[in-house]
Amino acid sequence: AFEATDNTNPGREAYALVLEGNFNYRMTSIERLNGWQHPHILTLLGHGSVYLTSQNKAHQVIVFDRPHGPSLSEIVAIKRITQEHIIKDVIIEPLSKALGMFKEKGIQHGCINPKNIFIKDTLVLGECVSEPPGLSQDYIYEPVERMMCDPLSKGIGNEKIDVYAIGILAYDMVYGLDHLRRFPKEALIEKILNEGIYNVLARNRDFPDGLQDFFRGIFCDNPAERWGIEQLHLWVNGKRFNMINPSGSHDAV
C-alpha cells in the first residue's frame, strides 16, 4: 500500500494498493464498486494499470479512500466491548447495511474481521477486492465447510459466509477467541464436526438475551438453515425469532 494523491481533490486522503499478481484479484467486483459511495464501506476511487519504474513492469493498482480511526482489533486490544447495545448498534447494524449493498452488487466480501474494520465517527469496512474471497481470512471466522479447505480452494462462497463472520465478530467482542486458538486448527475442526459450532461456542456461557436469536441463527452447522442477510436485517430491525439451540451432530443409523 502507498500513499496516494487525488489531483482533482487535494484534500482527500487516499491510498493505493499495488497488486502483485500472485493471486487473482477480483476485477468484476472492482468494476462494480468503482466510484460507489456508502457510509460503511471504503470508497474505491479508481483502478488501472500503472508502470512502476522501480520494478520495470506494469501492475494493476487500486486507489481507495484512506480509512480513518483505529482498526477494531486495536480498540479491543485496549478494552473489550461487552455492552450488548454497542455491539448491535455500532458494529452489527452498520455491517448489516454494508452487506445489503454488497448483495445489491452481487459481491461477497470474504474478509470481515477486526483487522479489516475501522471506527472513528462511524464503522467502515475495509477492502475485499485485492484477493479471492477468504484467502487471508482468519480461519476461525469461516464456517467449518470453508475452514476445512485450502485457502485457494474455498471458492466464491455466498452471502452467508459474511453473515457468519459477523456472528463470530460479535462473539469475539464479548468473549474473545483465545480459548479456540488453544486448539490446533485440525483439532478445532474435529471438535466442531463432533459437537457443532454452537455447542463449542456456548459451552459454560450464557449468551445475552438480546443476542441469543442472533447466535442461534448464525451458528448453525447446516448451511441451508444458517442465517443470511435477510434474516440478519430482520433481527437488526427488531424482529424476534423463536429459535431453539442447534443440536450437535448425530451418527448415521
Side-chain angles (χ1 to χ4, degrees):
F2 295 86
E3 184 178 356
T5 300
D6 185 349
N7 291 332
T8 64
N9 184 0
R12 183 192 296 274
E13 294 184 349
Y15 78 100
L17 280 180
V18 177
L19 306 183
E20 293 293 338
N22 297 329
F23 305 110
N24 293 328
Y25 47 83
R26 300 161 64 180
M27 182 53 74
T28 299
S29 298
I30 291 171
E31 292 173 345
R32 291 176 182 176
L33 291 173
N34 189 33
W36 189 266
Q37 295 186 340
H38 187 282
H40 303 302
I41 298 172
L42 282 185
T43 301
L44 196 160
L45 301 173
H47 65 93
S49 180
V50 176
Y51 182 80
L52 301 181
T53 55
S54 61
Q55 298 186 21
N56 196 30
K57 62 179 180 179
H59 289 266
Q60 183 68 213
V61 173
I62 315 172
V63 180
F64 292 93
D65 263 332
R66 188 185 302 178
H68 296 284
S71 68
L72 185 56
S73 60
E74 293 174 300
I75 295 172
V76 175
I78 297 172
K79 185 178 181 181
R80 186 161 298 282
I81 302 171
T82 58
Q83 297 92 333
E84 179 184 325
H85 68 282
I86 293 179
I87 292 173
K88 182 175 182 179
D89 297 342
V90 178
I91 298 176
I92 299 176
E93 183 174 354
L95 289 174
S96 170
K97 292 177 179 178
L99 290 193
M101 192 280 281
F102 277 112
K103 184 174 183 178
E104 178 185 330
K105 294 290 184 181
I107 299 170
Q108 284 74 51
H109 191 279
C111 197
I112 297 177
N113 60 64
K115 294 181 180 179
N116 200 29
I117 293 172
F118 306 90
I119 299 180
K120 190 178 181 183
D121 299 326
T122 187
L123 178 147
V124 175
L125 182 58
E127 67 91 13
C128 65
V129 298
S130 61
E131 63 182 27
L135 179 66
S136 62
Q137 175 69 302
D138 185 338
Y139 67 90
I140 295 180
Y141 275 72
E142 295 273 35
V144 68
E145 65 271 14
R146 288 172 65 85
M147 191 186 296
M148 292 188 291
C149 295
D150 182 276
L152 282 172
S153 65
K154 291 178 180 178
I156 295 174
N158 56 38
E159 64 182 60
K160 294 186 177 182
I161 68 173
D162 291 327
V163 175
Y164 184 90
I166 292 176
I168 294 292
L169 179 70
Y171 182 93
D172 191 1
M173 296 301 99
V174 180
Y175 304 106
L177 299 173
D178 289 345
H179 62 293
L180 299 182
R181 298 194 191 281
R182 286 197 290 266
F183 293 94
K185 181 179 178 180
E186 294 302 321
L188 178 61
I189 290 172
E190 183 176 358
K191 189 175 182 64
I192 293 173
L193 291 175
N194 289 333
E195 301 178 25
I197 184 61
Y198 181 87
N199 295 321
V200 169
L201 295 176
R203 179 171 288 107
N204 301 322
R205 290 177 175 83
D206 293 323
F207 290 148
D209 291 340
L211 294 175
Q212 283 188 1
D213 285 350
F214 173 78
F215 285 142
R216 288 169 179 168
I218 291 176
F219 297 148
C220 177
D221 295 300
N222 185 344
E225 298 177 1
R226 189 180 298 145
W227 275 14
I229 294 174
E230 182 179 353
Q231 292 88 347
L232 178 62
H233 283 171
L234 290 172
W235 177 82
V236 166
N237 290 323
K239 179 177 173 59
R240 298 299 298 268
F241 293 81
N242 186 23
M243 306 290 297
I244 61 174
N245 291 347
S247 60
S249 58
H250 300 282
D251 291 337
V253 176

